[in-house]
Amino acid sequence: MTRRRSQARPAAPLAEGTAFPEAAAERLRDTQLRANLRRATHTIRDKRAAVVGEVEDWEALRDTAAAIKADVLSRLPELLTRFEVAATAAGATVHWARDAAEANAVVTALVRDTGADQVVKVKSMLTQEIGLNEALAASGIEATETDLAELIVQLANDRPSHILVPAIHYNRTQIRDIFRARMPGASAELGDDPADLAEAARLHLRHRFRTAKVGICGANFAVAETGSLVVVESEGNGRMCLTLPETLIAVVGIEKLVPCQADLGTFLRLLPRSSTGERMNPYTSIWTGVTPGDGPRAVHVVLVDNGRTAALADPVGRQALRCIRCSACLNVCPVYERVGGHAYGSVYPGPIGAILSPQLTGVAVNDTARSLPFASTLCGACYDVCPVKIDIPRVLVHLRQAVVDSRRTRPSGERAAMRAASWVMRHRRRYAVALRAARRGAGLMPGDRIKRLPWPASAWTTIRDAPKPAAETFREWWIRERS
């Protein structure tokens, strides 16, 4: 949280289904947002670089983690069954959900069975993905986010814009104003010092922790061998949610598995360094089923598919399911740094969101899904920092082809233009004539680049420019020099 002079509120979320270029253009106009993003992402990436540099076997760790996750995906049904057997033997109840509707129905029914009308939640990307808070609210159940950044976003009636730091698009002055206006019991004199803001949130949440009968969490990892679940966090709110309520409901994506307890060592070295730039997480909670007299009396695990099986069937795209939600790719992405998470129109923003979200929903579902694979410069920085070595640029190109293939049944001006270019370039003389014509036309334009063309070529130049054709081609130079 940083002090800025401007107190402007971030732009409101755009309509669902908005294509990335339109959403990004809107966010680029928010100078306060860009300042907040730049400062935060550069701070996190610098911390990450420092602690990663201390680990001599960092690349070996990445290779090991990638191999473990690839192994999980190659035998996912077997490991899911092992997890269910082990978790059930330890006293947990395992539920299966094919999609968001089933997952929400299961969780809502479990909360109703306790008689509770309030729940406390640990930060969870999956519950955002399935819209759990909204489903609970529709059934008269209030969900309170207890992660500080998630609480800020919830109080602001906003959406997270970063995987690790959901409120990255706010500065401390904006957060102070949100707390003053929306947080019950917050003082009108509350300042914007981070310690004061954290204390206000702590006082607000303390009563919720003491009275909540139900806690809801996700999981960073699920261990097939033992049926254990793992949550890593930095604030301690997660530990409160996992231990104080009588009933704990864990909503877990089926890809979160690791085969055995020993595998956690690799990921617990990679994740904190990649995400927060710390050597280890302040709080790492591992629990297995129910322990009489210690923690919740009932533990439910809801294993959610919601498009993951479809992604698993793609031999190229399936590597997105390796993701451990560290957000390192967001912090180095030049596109994310300038437009923020809301521009992606997805729970999962940044480079990982550009490949994961379209696979979970299908690339043809709406303009957002179709545009996300193009929301990248393909610079490769995301692959360089990914702790599980997801080749995001390769998957982006793969999904771009899928988007093109999904449109083959409809007329396309771009496709017609490419066919015309192909016809011209297949014959040397046609190509020479076209090049001379282009050279003459470009000569009428100012500057050394083509920045604006009439319709229909304007569809290209509105978002791109290109150098003008050379005054002399190589063939012309060769003929002149050899004659």
Side-chain angles (χ1 to χ4, degrees):
M1 294 180 289
T2 55
R3 185 186 301 274
R4 303 291 298 175
R5 292 182 181 177
S6 171
Q7 299 183 23
R9 294 292 302 276
L14 296 166
E16 184 177 353
T18 302
F20 180 82
E22 288 76 22
E26 176 70 23
R27 300 304 174 187
L28 280 170
R29 288 190 282 270
D30 189 338
T31 56
Q32 181 65 69
L33 171 68
R34 293 176 65 179
N36 294 349
L37 289 169
R38 178 174 176 79
R39 179 172 282 102
T41 55
H42 279 251
T43 297
I44 297 171
R45 76 166 74 163
D46 291 345
K47 289 176 63 180
R48 175 200 170 275
V51 295
V52 165
E54 299 171 353
V55 183
E56 293 183 1
D57 60 344
W58 181 255
E59 289 305 314
L61 280 173
R62 292 179 71 206
D63 289 336
T64 300
I68 292 171
K69 295 300 285 187
D71 174 56
V72 167
L73 297 180
S74 70
R75 53 193 184 105
L76 189 56
E78 169 202 337
L79 293 175
L80 286 168
T81 301
R82 286 180 58 190
F83 174 84
E84 180 183 28
V85 171
T88 302
T93 303
V94 178
H95 311 261
W96 298 79
R98 286 172 292 188
D99 54 27
E102 279 194 5
N104 289 333
V106 169
V107 175
T108 300
L110 291 172
V111 176
R112 281 176 172 169
D113 288 345
T114 68
D117 60 4
Q118 293 185 348
V119 300
V120 289
K121 287 184 67 216
V122 185
K123 178 179 179 294
S124 165
M125 299 294 295
L126 179 56
T127 60
Q128 294 167 17
E129 176 189 325
I130 64 176
L132 179 60
N133 285 10
E134 292 78 6
L136 291 173
S139 296
I141 301 168
E142 180 185 3
T144 299
E145 298 289 351
T146 63
D147 175 84
L148 177 56
E150 288 283 358
L151 176 64
I152 293 165
V153 171
Q154 185 179 44
L155 290 173
N157 292 322
D158 197 1
R159 295 179 301 180
S161 68
H162 191 277
I163 290 175
L164 177 68
V165 193
I168 196 172
H169 52 298
Y170 290 107
N171 62 44
R172 60 206 252 183
T173 302
Q174 293 168 326
I175 294 169
R176 178 206 64 191
D177 293 343
I178 292 168
F179 279 12
R180 285 179 177 178
R182 303 287 180 84
M183 181 185 287
S187 169
E189 304 302 318
L190 178 65
D192 65 358
D193 182 77
D196 293 338
L197 295 171
E199 179 65 15
R202 185 180 296 110
L203 294 174
H204 167 69
L205 292 172
R206 187 65 57 175
H207 174 70
R208 301 297 178 105
F209 285 133
R210 287 200 303 261
T211 58
K213 293 182 178 180
V214 180
I216 296 177
C217 68
N220 294 96
F221 307 102
V223 184
E225 176 187 42
T226 61
S228 305
L229 296 173
V230 183
V231 167
V232 297
E233 39 125 4
S234 299
E235 299 172 9
N237 63 294
R239 184 70 56 84
M240 302 281 277
C241 287
L242 298 173
T243 57
L244 293 180
E246 297 175 358
T247 299
L248 178 63
I249 304 170
V251 186
V252 183
I254 58 174
E255 82 284 11
K256 292 293 187 178
L257 290 176
V258 295
C260 59
Q261 199 87 357
D263 295 323
L264 290 176
T266 296
F267 294 100
L268 294 179
R269 292 182 69 193
L270 286 167
L271 181 56
R273 285 177 167 84
S274 297
S275 57
T276 57
E278 297 173 294
R279 295 177 181 87
M280 64 181 294
N281 288 97
Y283 296 88
T284 299
S285 300
I286 305 175
W287 73 100
T288 308
V290 176
T291 301
D294 182 13
R297 301 173 189 172
V299 172
H300 297 268
V301 183
V302 184
L303 295 173
V304 182
D305 187 322
N306 203 40
R308 285 157 177 78
T309 297
L312 186 64
D314 185 335
V316 176
R318 68 190 302 180
Q319 60 184 295
L321 297 177
R322 296 183 203 162
C323 178
I324 59 174
R325 310 293 191 266
C326 70
S327 75
C329 61
L330 280 69
N331 299 326
V332 298
C333 178
V335 177
Y336 177 87
E337 181 186 316
R338 287 158 178 79
V339 301
H342 291 159
Y344 292 81
S346 162
V347 169
Y348 304 103
I352 187 61
I355 64 170
L356 182 59
S357 296
Q359 292 191 86
L360 295 180
T361 63
V363 295
V365 67
N366 57 31
D367 286 343
T368 297
R370 282 189 290 269
S371 65
L372 283 180
F374 300 89
S376 170
T377 64
L378 300 180
C379 68
C382 49
Y383 174 64
D384 291 340
V385 299
C386 178
V388 289
K389 303 191 80 167
I390 301 171
D391 192 346
I392 293 177
R394 183 188 177 202
V395 181
L396 285 168
V397 173
H398 171 69
L399 292 177
R400 289 179 184 187
Q401 183 62 55
V403 172
V404 172
D405 290 343
S406 73
R407 291 174 165 173
R408 288 198 185 280
T409 57
R410 300 196 299 270
S412 167
E414 181 182 6
R415 189 156 58 247
M418 291 299 104
R419 286 175 178 168
S422 175
W423 179 81
V424 169
M425 292 180 180
R426 280 200 300 267
H427 193 280
R428 179 172 61 84
R429 290 180 180 173
R430 286 198 295 260
Y431 179 71
V433 170
L435 193 59
R436 285 196 294 270
R439 189 186 304 158
R440 292 192 186 101
L444 302 175
M445 301 177 186
D448 60 353
R449 300 188 69 82
I450 300 172
K451 297 184 177 181
R452 183 175 299 176
L453 290 172
W455 185 89
S458 58
W460 174 274
T461 56
T462 52
I463 55 176
R464 306 174 181 88
D465 61 14
K468 289 183 178 180
E472 183 179 38
T473 67
F474 174 79
R475 181 179 295 275
E476 290 168 342
W477 172 86
W478 181 263
I479 293 172
R480 175 170 57 80
E481 288 295 315
R482 299 285 289 186
S483 61

